[in-house]
Amino acid sequence: PLLCRADFAKAIGSRTVIQVPKDGSVPKELQCALSKDLLREAAVLPCCQSNVSVALASTRINETSSCPVCMQVSAHFFGSNL
């Protein structure tokens, strides 16, 4: 699959505590790799294992047919309709 929500849930679920930075910013584990904002409808990109928000990643993948984080072009991205 192009975006794997189950992998994200598994990765985050394995941690008992996520540390919040002292400056109050969003912890890296909960940040979208693209926007650096809090993840919404999180998924993991299979090519680089980056955590992303599905809506933002889908838009960029549909525009470029490549990973918006590592720029890898993949047959999985061609014709994607997320």
Side-chain angles (χ1 to χ4, degrees):
L2 183 57
L3 298 173
C4 189
R5 291 180 179 99
D7 286 345
F8 178 78
K10 182 179 175 183
I12 294 300
S14 67
R15 296 197 174 107
T16 56
V17 176
I18 294 175
Q19 297 292 324
V20 176
K22 290 183 181 183
D23 66 2
S25 61
V26 176
K28 185 170 178 136
E29 297 93 340
L30 301 178
Q31 278 184 4
C32 173
L34 301 171
S35 68
K36 305 301 183 207
D37 291 331
L38 181 64
L39 284 163
R40 300 187 192 287
E41 287 191 73
V44 176
L45 292 169
C47 50
C48 59
Q49 301 301 302
S50 294
N51 298 332
V52 294
S53 292
V54 172
L56 183 56
S58 296
T59 298
R60 293 196 184 172
I61 289 167
N62 287 331
E63 290 171 353
T64 65
S65 295
S66 64
C67 174
V69 177
C70 72
M71 303 306 177
Q72 178 180 334
V73 176
S74 172
H76 294 286
F77 295 136
F78 289 102
S80 66
N81 188 14
L82 304 174

